Amino acid sequence: MSSGVLVTGLGLVAPHGHDADSVFDAIVQGRSAVHELAMDLAKPAAAATVDIDLSRWFNKLQTAGVDRVSQLAVAAADLAVRDAGGLAHAAPERIGIYVGCGMGGASALEAAYRSSNGRVSPLTIPAFMPNAPAAHVAMRLGVRGPVLTYAVACASSSVAIAEAAKAVRCGEVDIAIAGGTEALIVPGVVLTWQAMQTLASFTPGGDAAARCCRPFSADRSGFVLGEGAAFLVLESAERAAARQAPTRHAELAGWGLSCDATHLTKPDAQGQQRALRAALQLAGLTPSDIGYVNAHGTATKAGDTVECEAIRGVWGEDLSGLRVSSTKALHGHLLGAAGALEAVITIQALKRQQLPPQAHCDTPDPLCDVPLARAGEALVRPLDAALSSSFAFGGTNSSLVFKRV
């Protein structure tokens, strides 16, 4: 079985850079983009931030009322479209935009709350509304088809990609620009995550901040926030062939969505397994066909353990042939944009035939008994299919299966 949906464009603006190859190189080499935040906080906090000159896409006048989350989205979507060879071959009404964004424009909201003179910009609402990034991408690219936003916490952009693939497959659109964006590194947001006691702890100094996110490790203490945006251009295999698309990065072979329906913040292995199995079934693959899983792996005590239980339950006797890693250890947790960035990394793993190693896990938790990818590990067989998972607060689970082309 084949979904017939190809990834013909990749674009990202990530903590490691804005070129898919160089970002993947950094991940494979284990280079951390996480650093200590220079903020006035009661407790130290770390995050992975984006360093990019956005003047390529916006002049000073254009940035008025455009939050950073939308600026990053416009940049990443533009890079993806350029990689795909542009949009001149498609009618604007037949192009769709599908964006995941968990929380919207945090910088605009923070500025409004912290206004020193009591004046709030009248552009605050359109700047921080969660659908602003999708709207800005549509305006910049002249897209007049469906322009949709998915706010499903940490699964937002993975869900957006799955929904975009459905639209392509059923013929609702000819081209889908799908991904996610998030830019939450402001004091107010960091404080709220610290209040939940989910962020990684560390003692300031040396490389402690860079190594503080340790998925699957026995001494893990939580995740670190990241920011950025990533987009995929999706189209049918027939259309890509007809227009002689310059790039065919991978096939999005299957996707699976489910809901735990058990708890707002506590994950459930059975719910995650339903998404994993649904993605494999749609792709026409068995667990033994999958060589690599880019795990959700946030480095929380409960989250990592439950995810490993779900993986063991689905792969069973085929577990030994699988390798698993969470690249959040190096680029942080992009929340609403996490699934999109990790989808790009998973696609790169297929293209480059390399496994992103599990960083910062010297002593794995015995309860996280899955085969972790290790630095320098050689492939024992060609990597033909890989899977990326995103599991969210609210209980939504999303898994994407990619095949090498």
Side-chain angles (χ1 to χ4, degrees), residues 255-263 267-282 309-311 313-315 387 389 391 394-399:
W255 47 88
L257 305 177
S258 71
C259 184
D260 297 340
T262 56
H263 194 278
D268 176 71
Q270 296 299 315
Q272 294 178 9
Q273 287 178 13
R274 287 193 292 274
L276 291 165
R277 290 194 173 102
L280 290 169
Q281 182 177 13
L282 183 59
E309 179 185 347
I311 291 172
V314 172
W315 267 262
L387 184 149
S389 285
F391 305 135
T396 294
N397 308 299
S398 178
S399 294

Side-chain angles (χ1 to χ4, degrees), residues 248-325:
R248 295 172 177 81
H249 294 288
E251 178 189 353
L252 177 47
W255 47 88
L257 305 177
S258 71
C259 184
D260 297 340
T262 56
H263 194 278
L264 199 62
T265 59
K266 183 180 178 182
D268 176 71
Q270 296 299 315
Q272 294 178 9
Q273 287 178 13
R274 287 193 292 274
L276 291 165
R277 290 194 173 102
L280 290 169
Q281 182 177 13
L282 183 59
L285 300 176
T286 66
S288 64
D289 295 317
I290 305 295
Y292 170 66
V293 167
N294 188 298
H296 186 59
T298 59
T300 60
K301 288 293 183 182
D304 287 8
T305 303
V306 169
E307 183 171 11
C308 289
E309 179 185 347
I311 291 172
R312 289 195 302 269
V314 172
W315 267 262
E317 295 180 354
D318 296 316
L319 188 64
S320 62
L322 179 70
R323 292 297 179 267
V324 177
S325 70

Side-chain angles (χ1 to χ4, degrees), residues 54-64 66 71 140:
L54 291 167
S55 64
R56 174 177 169 184
W57 293 275
F58 295 90
N59 59 39
K60 287 187 177 180
L61 183 62
Q62 290 173 320
T63 58
V66 183
Q71 295 178 33
R140 183 60 64 98

Side-chain angles (χ1 to χ4, degrees), residues 12 14-34 48 210 215 227 292-295 324-334 338 341-349 352 354-360 373-377:
L12 75 170
H16 284 102
H18 50 89
D19 171 77
D21 284 321
S22 62
V23 168
F24 189 74
D25 286 341
I27 296 296
V28 169
Q29 294 164 16
R31 301 205 308 267
S32 176
V34 178
E227 68 171 356
Y292 170 66
V293 167
N294 188 298
V324 177
S325 70
S326 168
T327 51
K328 289 182 177 71
L330 302 173
H331 57 64
H333 190 353
L334 273 63
L341 174 58
E342 290 157 25
V344 172
I345 293 170
T346 304
I347 291 168
Q348 287 294 101
R352 302 272 292 271
Q354 289 179 281
L355 296 170
Q358 183 55 63
H360 311 153
R374 292 301 185 180
E377 182 178 8

